[in-house]
Structure formats: C-alpha cells, structure tokens
Amino acid sequence: MISILVLLFIGFLINWTYSYYKGLEEAYIPIHDVKEIPIIPSEKKVFERAEYALDYLNMPRDENHQRTLETYYDNRAYAGAPPSIPHPVKEKLGIGGNICLQCHQNGGFVDKFNAYAPVTPHPEMINCKQCHAEQQTQTEFVASNFYKRPAPEVGNNNALPGSPPAIPHQLQMRENCLSCHAGPAAVKELWVDHPERINCRQCHVPMRQEVENVQRFIRTNNGTQ
Amino acid sequence: MYTSVHTDRRDFIKKMAVLSAMTAAAGMFPGIVFAEEQERGIPADANLDWKKAPCRFCGVGCSVLIGTENGKAIAVKGDPKSPVNKGLCCVKGYHSILALYGKDRLTKPLVKKNGKYVETSMKEALDLVASKMQKTIKDHGKDAVSIYGSGQWTIPDGYVASKLFKGCIGTNNVEANARLCMATAVTGFLTSFGLDEPMGCYEDIDYADTFVLWGNNMAEMHPVLFSRLLDQRQKRGVKIIDFATRTTRTSMAADKSILFNPQSDLAVGNAICYEIINNGWMNKTFVEEHCNFSKGLTKMGYGLEDNYKFADKPETIDFEDYKTFLEDYTPEKASKISGVSVKDIKYLAAHFGDPNTKVMSFWCMGPNQHSRGTWMNNIIYNIHLLTGKISSPGNSPFSLTGQPSACGTVREVGTLTHKLPHGVVMNKEHRELAAKIWDVPVENIDPKPTYHTVEMFRALDRGDIRFMWIQVTNPMVTMPKLKRYRDGAKKEGRFIVVSDIYPTPTTDIADVILPSAMWIEREGMYGNSERRTQYFEQMVEPPGEAMSDTMQLLEVAKRMGFEKQFYYKDETHIEEIYTEYRKHHEGKKHNMAPLEVLKAQSGAMWPYVDGKSTQWRFNAKYDPACTNGKDFHFYGKKDGKAVIWQRPYEPAAEEPDAEYPYWLGTGRVVEHWHTGSMTRRIPVLHQAMPHAYVELNPGDAKRLQIRTGDMVKLTTRRGEITLPASVNERAVPAPMQVFVPFFDEKMLINEITLDSFCPISKEPDYKKCAVNIEKA
C-alpha cells in the first residue's frame, strides 16, 4: 500500500515538475536576434548609431534651433577639448552617468533650454564630470595668454574638387560620426547630407598625424618567393 | 596563407573566407592608397606636431599627447598607447597646457629691496642666492640652510638638490611637500615590507573582482583610474565599495557606500582582520611562510609641541598574541567606535575573506593624512597579508599618490631629511655608495637626519634655520596651522628664495623670486604611483628668463664652488644627471630603465631588469629579484617575510567637544589641482569651480538655518575664517562634520587646521580637527 502511494507521489512529482518547466517555457518570449550590420571590429564605433541613419535622412531640418560652429567652439578651450557644460546641472552629487545620458545618449528637444541636446559619441564612459565641468561663472582668476588656434575650416579639405573631404579632427573618443554629424543637434555646418551611407570612413579618411609614419616599402628579395 | 597547406580542408576554406573578407575590407578604405593625394591641399592647420609627456598634474601619471604649432602648445589628447590611461584624460589634463599661458606668468627674477620687488637679471639673482647661502653657512652653520621641494620636482630637479645639500653642503635639511601627502605611505611600506612603493600596478584593475576604496574619493581625485574601474564594472560586473567619512561622487557611483566616524577606520580595519581569522578565512600557508607578527609603541602623542621626537620600538610577537589583541575589535566593538553597522563590517570582511575573490584596495589622503596613518597603512596590508591577497594580478593593496613625481622624485630620489637616493643617511654603506657616485668625501654626508617638514618650518620660526629655498610648491597655502609658519617665515634675519611660475602666497614671503620653466618648457622625468618613470622632452620655449629648477640649482652649485660635482654640459645635462642617478639603483631590486627606453615608450616600471618592467614585485613569477625559491619573497626584510603589525585604535589629536562640536576635514575637488596656482589660471577650470566653500550636512544646515551661498564662520582654536556654504551640492558630509577644499588662496582653510601629525611618518592630519560653525 505504502509503496503504491510512494510511487503515485513520485509520479505526481515528476508530472508536476514537468508541467512546471513546461509552463516556464511558454512564459518565455524568445527574443529575436536583431540583425546587425556586419562590421569591422576596429571600426565598430563608426556604426554605433547606424540604426537611426534613415531617420536622420528623412528628418526635416529645424533651422531655428540648430547649433552653429561658433557656439560649438565657444564651449571648448581648443578644437578637440572636452566641452564644458553650458547649462545648470541639478544633480550635483554623482558622476553624471544616466542623469546626463537621459538627454545626451539619444538627444531630443529640451524645452527648458530651447535647444536640441547634443548626442555624446561615447555613452559608454559614464564618469561624465571627469572631463565635462559645469561652469559657475564667466569671470577669470587672471587673464590668459593661451592661443586658441582657429578650428579647422569646414568643407575645403578635399584632395580633388568634389572628392570626399578628409576628417580634419582627432577621432579618439569621437569615432562615432553620426552622433555629431547627423540628427537635429548636429551643428549646422557639420550636417551631413547622406547619413544613410553609414560606413563613413569608406570615403572619409583621417588626416595624417593620426597614423604613424611608416617607412616606404622596399622589396628586398625581388619577388623570388 | 602558404602555411595552411597542411591543415585540413575545412580549415582552409575558413581561412580563405577570412582572407576574402579582409580583402573586401581593404577595398572599403581606398584612403590608405590615396593618403598622399588626400593630404595635398589640406589647410595648414593639420600640421600639428604631437609629442608625448606625462600629465603635469596628479600621481596617476597619464600619458598625454601635446599638439604644438609655431612654438605654442595648443591642444592635448590622451595617449592611446599608454597602459596607464589608454587614451583618456580628465578635465585638468585636457586643459593642462593652458596653465603655461596665464597672463601673470613670472618671467623675470624679482629681488626684494626696501620692501619692494625689483626686476633683475637671472645672473644677478643667482649670484645673490649663492652668496646669501654661503654667508648663512658661515654665520650660522650648514644646518641653517635648507631646501623645501616637491613631488612636482622632476627627477633631475630633486636629484641635484639632494646632491648639492646632502652631498656637497653637508646638511640633511632637504624636505619636500610629499611629506604632507605621501610620507605615511612610505613608512607604511617600510614597516610592513622594508621597501617603498606598491608591489602591484594599475593592470591589477583588469583582474580584480572587488575594489575597496579606503577614504578615497577616486571619482574626483583619480578620475582616470576610476573610469577604468567603471569600465571593468560594465564589462565584468566587478564590485566597487566606498568606505569613507563623507558621501561623494565616488559613493554615488559605487555599488556600496559605507560611512565611518573620522579616525575609526583603525577599528574597522582590525575588525576585518578579526573576522578573517575567526571565520577561518586566513590563508594559513601564506601567513606561515611569508609573514611575521610585530607590535610597536602605543600612545605616541601627536607631535604638537616643538622638537617632538618619536622612535618606534618594534617587538616581535606571535600569532596568538595578535589574535588576543584582536579580541578588542570584534565587529560589535568596532561598530560602537566607528558607527559602521556590524553587518557592513562583516560584509567588507567577507569580500576579503572569500578565497575566490580578488580584491584591490585603493587609498590616498584618507589613511595618509591621519595622525595614526602609518598604523592605518599597516592595517590595510595586514588584511591583504592575512588573506594572501597581495603581489599577484588582481590582488593588490594599492597606495595612490597625488603629485606627478611624489614617487619618482621624493620617494625614489629620496628628497627627505633621512633619505638618500639609495637607502638612508643613518646607514654607513648607503652613505658610502652615495658619496662615491656623488664624488664627495663620505664625511660630507651627515648621518643624522635633521628636520621633517613641519619641524623645518618651526625651525625657521625659531631661527634655527635662516635660509630656505622653496621650489615648485606653495607651503603658504598648504602648511597646517598656517599663521604660525607664515609669521615665522617673515621674521627678520630669514632669507627665503622661491622658484615658481606664478605669484602665490609663497612668493609673497620671498626675498628672491626666481621664474621657473615648467613641465614641457624643459626636459625631465616624472615617476608615477605604479613605479612608472616617464620622460618628456622640451616642446616649447620658457617665457622671458624663466629657467628650469634643475638649471637654477646647477648654477647656484657652480657659484658655490662645486663645479667638480656639477660637471654636466648644458645641452645634455638631463641625460647625464639621469644616467648618474640610475647608478644608485643598480641591481634587480630597483634598476631604472635607461633613457632610450623612456623616450621610446610611455615609461617603464622599475625594477627594470633584462629589458623588462616588473609588474608584480615580491612574486617569483614576475619579479626576478625573488631568490628564496618560494612563490613569494618579501626581500625588503632580511628574513624575506612581510610584517603583520598589531596596531590599535587611538583617538585623533583633537576631537569635537562642547565648544567646538564639529569635525573639520579638508581636501580637493576634481577641477583644481593642489593649491590651484596653475588650474585657477585655466579659465574652464576656474569658471567651473571659482572659489572654496564649506560643505555642511543638510540636517545641520537646516538646524542652523544655513542655505547654499550663505556665509558661514568656522572657528577653531587656531582662528576663524568665513566661507560660503554648500548644502546638497558636490558632496554631503555626515552629520556634525564639515568639509572645505584647500585650493583657494583667498579662503585659506589651513589658517585654522591643526598641525598634529603621525609620529612615525611626521605627516600632518588635515582631515581631523574640531571646529565650531555659525551663520556669519
């Protein structure tokens, strides 16, 4: 009698466990793999915002709220310096992180400042206040003699008339082109008219100094191998 | 591809696929082919010349690339090849070059005549300095002249200073401001291991699972390293535990923030050791093979009185003694002292205790500027030694530094009263080695140390010291209990020479001000926290008659008749000095990399043996100096064993009472470096942080009806100062505590701080004194 009960109980356990896991499986909604654009690892960042490229293409320009190069460079000590934070930051305690990324990861219009939030090219770096400092005053401690070199001009660094311009700025931490060259927060003069051609560096190459000088190649064995 | 012939077919197809992908990829970048054509017709502003240098500011030692054009530094970027910062900088680093171009840069020597500064030529000024020094030695003896340098001295600066004063003049009156920040780290290392500087390196960050930050606001003070921690958390899910007295950016970013009462870290540290031993988490084989137990004197005092002397008397104890001692620090008892919950103490201990967790500790000024700082350093090492979590990748007690060459120049060159480049003045063999390399009679080197920094300024006040040369530092902002030392320096019959790049409160007390060439206006080397020595070349011309500190010292030395010892040629003096300096450190334990290596790469870590940097010292796998045949060899101690120290909790020198009921702590902010003499001249940084403030706990502020921006009067037994309040802004102190940054020369918090110091390291405790606050 007991053995039958035990058997029944074991049967019940097996059945229960089976249906429990079965139930779990049903509750599981399989996530379909997002089809990624095939990429070259070292160029990965170029494509980071590629999924928005078509939106950028079809987006009408909001001329009234576009940034200009002048305001863009006003906010930097020199071309390539991390911009300071031009607006008050409510959250004082903390390193920035999600508080900053709320607006600066994907951008969008901010009523309060009547402007589009610029998109960061490096959202993975979350200690924002490490490099970007909120300005509290416009006064100086003492005057500075620092020479702020004029920023590279736009649109004239082509090799041939009409050929794609080379990239006149450092790429370090700015590898993602679309974050600054497309979208409503992009600077008027830097707006690219073909954001859908997401493989930017196919045609636009960095200027020299970015690359190390390599000796001219000389074949020593005269092709006998 | 030819080698793939003998692999199987599938492999071959795979490789062909890869190859065709690569060909296709190459086809996508026609720019490589047309690079030359692309560059033609490019505007001239692409012709930036980028050269590498270690950053001018903190001890992390980031490698930066500096863009120059037409003899001016105009841009900065992080050096992607640097194993330190991997291309990232902080806001100070990115704007560092602006520090060269403040409008009030000192360009001509100034000599005080009838209370006024008169411009003169460099030659005359140096003549005056040399003759004044000679006259002081004649009238008052060699111990009446002194030099006070800095962890911002380059290695050659500190080396020639030491050689001139210790070797040639024969006085041990050589000190540096690192006494105010790193002296405790040094005594911590020496007592526990017998050799200075961290055994591990920054690469430990890539292997550790848990990071414990001991009173260390890394997000602001070592932001580039903190970003490496955050990066690891994103990639590997590591844990960051902030153990501090105040809620900061670091606490907010950490996985766990634990607050403790000032000074009680000693008790919590011991409680962690108690837990490790009593839960059986101790690594018995490691402790038996590699550790001794010792105790020292207690109730040492606080150094508040002039001519205070203390020498510890170490005594060997056994494990059982140590275990009994720890009975006083059960988590329950430590919790009462520290205000940390028993649960949190056990939480901390469990991270150290878990044999599968690699733990890295970071600390900087919290345990160092501490009246029992050497003890606190020892206790952190105790924890790592008891668990054997030391000297191996990811297991690393790591003492951070605040100045670019506190390690390189002060600790390694030995610009402290008791030190020599190799060893200490008290040791005959060490004196003999130094005298031989310096080409001076060994009798020149005095075997008795003289004054540590605080005592040196006291001696200046008393009149025991009559001549002081201050280089690359700003003691009239940084000395605790400042008023006494400023008044002392201004007394009749004192002669003060200050070498600096801008007017500061320290140049205000000078009789002669020498304009210095800074950083990339000259050639030099810095040594960072991870034993990495980095070289920088001269990239721009110094303004006016500004001259490097090395050159100033050489010129004065020659004028004093030491041409034989200071034989270096002007064009190659940095290289000659460095080559001579390397001789002091020859051998597997401390060999320095040759200059060619430093020029070719982003620095090298000593011991540099057989063309290789040593990443983990004392570990036989990585360190060729280990010779005992075991896995670890703590060769700094004679028997090859590290010391676990029995160090109790003792209260601070001055604790809050009825009259002064609040704790006052001081420190730094991310935007400013040291006393702000450079960073305040960088508009972006000044505008982000224009002045000092006093941070209050919101509860205290509410009770006192103080809001952000209201003026608050702070009163201590040393005086009073009024500052604007900061409530719920950058950071939040615990109840009944206030915090003030020290960078602002207009609001000198050090007027009211206390000059108590750790009796072993003689480093002042800037973090603790009693204060009263009221709305002004």
Side-chain angles (χ1 to χ4, degrees):
Chain A
M1 184 65 192
I2 289 168
S3 61
I4 289 171
L5 271 176
V6 168
L7 271 177
L8 271 174
F9 185 67
I10 290 169
F12 162 74
L13 268 186
I14 291 167
N15 194 20
W16 185 82
T17 321
Y18 175 74
S19 47
Y20 174 75
Y21 280 102
K22 194 86 178 163
L24 272 190
E25 263 172 48
E26 272 161 20
Y28 169 75
I29 302 161
I31 299 165
H32 291 289
D33 274 339
V34 183
K35 205 181 161 204
E36 278 188 23
I37 305 150
I39 47 164
I40 300 138
S42 68
E43 302 286 316
K44 187 175 163 214
K45 285 237 181 143
V46 176
F47 303 98
E48 221 165 53
R49 299 186 63 77
E51 68 264 39
Y52 305 110
L54 285 177
D55 297 338
Y56 288 146
L57 178 69
N58 299 323
M59 213 173 259
R61 274 207 202 194
D62 184 353
E63 297 269 1
N64 297 329
H65 295 100
Q66 258 188 320
R67 289 194 295 167
T68 62
L69 256 193
E70 205 186 331
T71 55
Y72 179 88
Y73 282 121
D74 268 357
N75 202 24
R76 284 155 173 80
Y78 52 87
S84 49
I85 306 173
H87 59 80
V89 182
K90 216 172 166 193
E91 195 255 5
K92 304 279 178 194
L93 194 55
I95 55 175
N98 284 335
I99 304 272
C100 301
L101 287 175
Q102 277 181 109
C103 300
H104 291 286
Q105 182 151 31
N106 286 315
F109 191 73
V110 186
D111 262 339
K112 199 160 104 189
F113 304 126
N114 195 29
Y116 289 96
V119 176
T120 174
H122 41 254
E124 73 285 2
M125 293 179 167
I126 57 170
N127 191 2
C128 312
K129 293 178 188 171
Q130 170 180 339
C131 303
H132 305 283
E134 182 196 346
Q135 305 291 287
Q136 313 280 0
T137 168
Q138 286 304 307
T139 59
E140 279 177 339
F141 183 67
V142 298
S144 177
N145 283 335
F146 178 69
Y147 166 68
K148 186 173 177 179
R149 193 178 64 141
E153 283 173 53
V154 178
N156 63 352
N157 44 359
N158 321 35
L160 301 163
S163 74
I167 303 168
H169 60 79
Q170 298 306 316
L171 285 177
Q172 203 175 321
M173 296 179 71
R174 302 170 190 81
E175 293 95 340
N176 178 11
C177 312
L178 289 180
S179 65
C180 301
H181 290 280
V187 169
K188 204 182 223 165
E189 294 88 338
L190 302 181
W191 183 292
V192 61
D193 59 8
H194 49 277
E196 78 284 9
R197 301 282 312 274
I198 51 173
N199 191 6
C200 312
R201 280 157 75 180
Q202 171 182 341
C203 303
H204 304 279
V205 292
M207 282 196 200
R208 63 178 169 189
Q209 302 295 348
E210 226 8 59
V211 235
E212 209 160 273
N213 284 331
V214 183
Q215 291 287 309
R216 185 178 287 269
F217 176 67
I218 298 163
R219 187 175 296 280
T220 46
N221 58 6
N222 208 17
T224 49
Q225 179 157 352
Chain B
M1 283 289 105
Y2 298 122
T3 49
S4 66
V5 172
H6 60 267
T7 56
D8 64 21
R9 198 168 149 262
R10 181 182 292 180
D11 212 336
F12 177 73
I13 290 169
K14 236 196 238 168
K15 281 187 176 154
M16 283 312 288
V18 170
L19 181 66
S20 67
M22 277 161 68
T23 320
M28 287 160 97
F29 299 96
I32 296 161
V33 184
F34 296 119
E36 262 177 48
E37 281 91 321
Q38 290 273 5
E39 280 164 12
R40 222 180 292 142
I42 278 170
D45 58 26
N47 294 337
L48 272 195
D49 196 7
W50 294 99
K51 284 179 181 148
K52 77 171 170 68
C55 178
R56 172 63 181 81
F57 297 122
C58 82
V60 171
C62 295
S63 180
V64 294
L65 295 170
I66 293 163
T68 54
E69 189 187 65
N70 303 328
K72 284 193 167 115
I74 58 164
V76 182
K77 59 177 180 171
D79 180 356
K81 282 189 202 140
S82 164
V84 174
N85 54 316
K86 306 186 176 186
L88 189 64
C89 294
C90 78
V91 69
K92 293 186 291 292
Y94 282 122
H95 296 101
S96 52
I97 47 166
L98 276 82
L100 271 64
Y101 299 111
K103 204 158 192 181
D104 56 344
R105 190 68 200 268
L106 296 168
T107 56
K108 285 236 164 189
L110 299 167
V111 175
K112 205 179 212 168
K113 278 181 186 152
N114 306 320
K116 273 194 171 161
Y117 286 110
V118 184
E119 272 191 13
T120 172
S121 72
M122 205 64 181
K123 187 184 163 295
E124 271 175 57
L126 293 166
D127 285 346
L128 176 64
V129 172
S131 65
K132 203 74 195 178
M133 196 152 31
Q134 278 168 320
K135 187 163 186 305
T136 312
I137 294 168
K138 205 170 136 237
D139 294 350
H140 302 280
K142 59 186 176 54
D143 283 338
V145 297
S146 61
I147 188 158
Y148 183 61
S150 153
Q152 301 155 64
W153 254 346
T154 65
I155 288 172
D157 298 338
Y159 182 74
V160 293
S162 179
K163 185 171 175 180
L164 172 62
F165 279 78
K166 296 197 173 208
C168 298
I169 297 172
T171 174
N172 285 324
N173 283 348
V174 178
E175 275 281 298
N177 67 0
R179 178 72 76 179
L180 309 179
C181 71
M182 292 318 297
T184 307
V186 178
T187 49
F189 276 114
L190 291 182
T191 46
S192 291
F193 306 100
L195 278 177
D196 190 19
E197 296 198 24
M199 49 292 294
C201 60
Y202 296 153
E203 210 182 296
D204 283 317
I205 296 171
D206 303 342
Y207 306 108
D209 305 308
T210 300
F211 297 91
V212 181
L213 315 182
W214 300 81
N216 183 16
N217 182 6
M218 254 181 121
E220 286 201 70
M221 306 325 153
H222 302 90
V224 172
L225 289 183
F226 193 65
S227 279
R228 284 185 65 175
L229 263 55
L230 294 174
D231 184 43
Q232 289 301 315
R233 186 167 67 185
Q234 254 159 6
K235 285 182 188 146
R236 301 191 289 122
V238 301
K239 275 253 171 326
I240 303 172
I241 304 170
D242 176 51
F243 180 67
T245 57
R246 156 176 174 258
T247 305
T248 62
R249 285 183 180 176
T250 309
S251 326
M252 299 306 286
D255 296 274
K256 171 114 184 139
S257 155
I258 300 171
L259 291 178
F260 64 92
N261 298 333
Q263 191 81 2
S264 70
D265 43 355
L266 295 158
V268 176
N270 277 331
I272 292 172
C273 296
Y274 174 90
E275 280 288 289
I276 288 168
I277 291 173
N278 283 277
N279 287 316
W281 294 332
M282 190 173 87
N283 185 336
K284 275 197 191 122
T285 33
F286 183 90
V287 172
E288 273 162 24
E289 292 235 325
H290 305 294
C291 302
N292 289 320
F293 291 84
S294 273
K295 70 172 185 183
L297 297 179
T298 56
K299 302 210 171 63
M300 306 180 285
Y302 299 94
L304 291 166
E305 58 282 3
D306 274 37
N307 294 313
Y308 165 87
K309 290 249 162 23
F310 174 81
D312 205 4
K313 288 203 185 81
E315 209 180 299
T316 309
I317 55 171
D318 61 26
F319 175 65
E320 287 307 317
D321 296 334
Y322 179 67
K323 209 177 151 189
T324 319
F325 155 81
L326 287 178
E327 295 294 327
D328 287 343
Y329 299 96
T330 60
E332 291 72 21
K333 287 177 187 164
S335 173
K336 281 205 184 102
I337 302 170
S338 63
V340 180
S341 70
V342 172
K343 201 176 134 209
D344 282 347
I345 295 176
K346 292 191 169 181
Y347 172 86
L348 270 172
H351 275 275
F352 284 103
D354 182 351
N356 298 317
T357 306
K358 296 197 185 89
V359 189
M360 189 169 189
S361 288
F362 280 111
W363 69 99
C364 195
M365 288 307 104
N368 288 356
Q369 292 177 339
H370 191 311
S371 52
R372 292 292 177 265
T374 308
W375 291 7
M376 193 55 221
N377 274 262
N378 290 148
I379 289 172
I380 298 173
Y381 297 130
N382 290 352
I383 296 169
H384 282 267
L385 287 169
L386 284 171
T387 49
K389 294 188 178 181
I390 196 162
S391 284
S392 49
N395 284 321
S396 186
F398 201 97
S399 159
L400 292 161
T401 36
Q403 299 189 84
S405 202
C407 284
T409 307
V410 180
R411 294 161 71 172
E412 290 158 29
V413 175
T415 51
L416 295 168
T417 183
H418 64 290
K419 277 281 289 164
L420 288 168
H422 176 82
V424 290
V425 293
M426 297 79 89
N427 183 309
K428 189 160 172 276
E429 280 167 37
H430 296 167
R431 287 199 303 277
E432 279 165 356
L433 175 74
K436 194 175 149 229
I437 298 170
W438 283 345
D439 191 14
V440 295
V442 69
E443 305 76 48
N444 268 24
I445 305 174
D446 194 329
K448 251 185 87 179
T450 52
Y451 311 107
H452 56 85
T453 297
V454 173
E455 199 53 39
M456 189 186 254
F457 280 90
R458 285 175 184 170
L460 185 69
D461 178 26
R462 293 194 300 266
D464 299 339
I465 287 178
R466 296 286 174 151
F467 174 102
M468 188 186 276
W469 190 349
I470 299 167
Q471 284 194 324
V472 227
T473 186
N474 198 359
M476 292 303 117
V477 175
T478 54
M479 286 298 293
K481 197 180 168 184
L482 186 54
K483 191 171 179 303
R484 173 182 177 188
Y485 302 112
R486 187 175 48 231
D487 290 349
K490 280 183 180 165
K491 278 187 182 165
E492 247 340 272
R494 314 286 188 278
F495 196 84
I496 314 281
V497 181
V498 177
S499 306
D500 213 324
I501 58 166
Y502 288 114
T504 65
T506 305
T507 61
D508 288 348
I509 60 153
D511 295 282
V512 176
I513 302 171
L514 299 172
S516 289
M518 80 171 267
W519 192 32
I520 51 168
E521 292 167 353
R522 38 98 32 106
E523 191 185 3
M525 307 90 186
Y526 287 150
N528 80 353
S529 311
E530 60 161 359
R531 295 176 277 110
R532 182 180 296 278
T533 316
Q534 300 190 79
Y535 168 85
F536 54 96
E537 61 187 288
Q538 184 182 345
M539 302 179 201
V540 294
E541 286 297 319
E545 285 201 65
M547 185 187 263
S548 76
D549 298 302
T550 306
M551 262 312 197
Q552 294 174 15
L553 284 158
L554 292 179
E555 287 297 321
V556 168
K558 284 180 198 163
R559 282 164 168 78
M560 291 177 74
F562 302 115
E563 290 97 342
K564 193 177 107 191
Q565 285 81 11
F566 296 91
Y567 55 86
Y568 321 110
K569 286 196 264 326
D570 280 1
E571 315 77 62
T572 50
H573 67 289
I574 295 294
E575 185 173 355
E576 287 174 82
I577 292 167
Y578 183 71
T579 311
E580 182 186 312
Y581 163 59
R582 283 180 65 217
K583 289 186 199 158
H584 293 265
H585 288 315
E586 270 169 11
K588 281 184 179 172
K589 292 179 187 172
H590 199 139
N591 199 33
M592 308 286 291
L595 195 60
E596 312 86 81
V597 173
L598 302 187
K599 282 183 178 175
Q601 61 192 51
S602 304
M605 290 155 78
W606 64 264
Y608 186 83
V609 183
D610 300 330
K612 261 172 73 185
S613 293
T614 304
Q615 286 186 293
W616 290 279
R617 282 197 298 167
F618 311 138
N619 182 330
K621 235 187 262 173
Y622 305 95
D623 185 351
C626 293
T627 49
N628 63 351
K630 297 179 183 169
D631 292 347
F632 296 92
H633 184 195
F634 294 98
Y635 48 75
K637 298 279 183 191
K638 275 202 183 100
D639 60 358
K641 287 183 170 188
V643 180
I644 292 174
W645 285 90
Q646 170 180 316
R647 302 294 202 192
Y649 161 80
E650 280 184 11
E654 187 184 80
E655 300 216 337
D657 52 20
E659 210 180 331
Y660 301 98
Y662 296 84
W663 283 106
L664 166 65
T666 68
R668 299 172 281 170
V669 291
V670 66
E671 291 89 353
H672 288 302
W673 190 77
H674 208 221
T675 60
S677 58
M678 289 180 286
T679 47
R680 297 188 91 194
R681 285 169 172 85
I682 298 172
V684 181
L685 301 177
H686 172 70
Q687 284 162 9
M689 181 53 75
H691 56 76
Y693 52 81
V694 52
E695 238 165 42
L696 305 174
N697 179 270
D700 297 337
K702 200 172 169 193
R703 199 179 57 249
L704 297 165
Q705 308 246 312
I706 295 169
R707 287 184 210 185
T708 298
D710 290 351
M711 295 308 277
V712 178
K713 190 167 91 176
L714 310 190
T715 316
T716 69
R717 292 183 175 86
R718 272 73 57 199
E720 56 179 59
I721 171 181
T722 306
L723 294 146
S726 158
V727 184
N728 272 331
E729 300 263 317
R730 179 69 61 95
V732 179
M736 300 309 282
Q737 293 183 30
V738 300
F739 171 86
V740 179
F742 74 88
F743 69 83
D744 192 342
E745 62 178 73
K746 286 195 189 111
M747 300 178 196
L748 286 170
I749 188 61
N750 278 322
E751 300 276 14
I752 66 168
T753 50
L754 180 66
D755 58 348
S756 72
F757 52 76
C758 168
I760 302 173
S761 70
K762 325 297 195 252
E763 175 170 338
D765 188 335
Y766 290 91
K767 306 288 186 194
K768 291 165 225 106
C769 71
V771 66
N772 189 27
I773 57 174
E774 53 197 322
K775 203 169 168 179

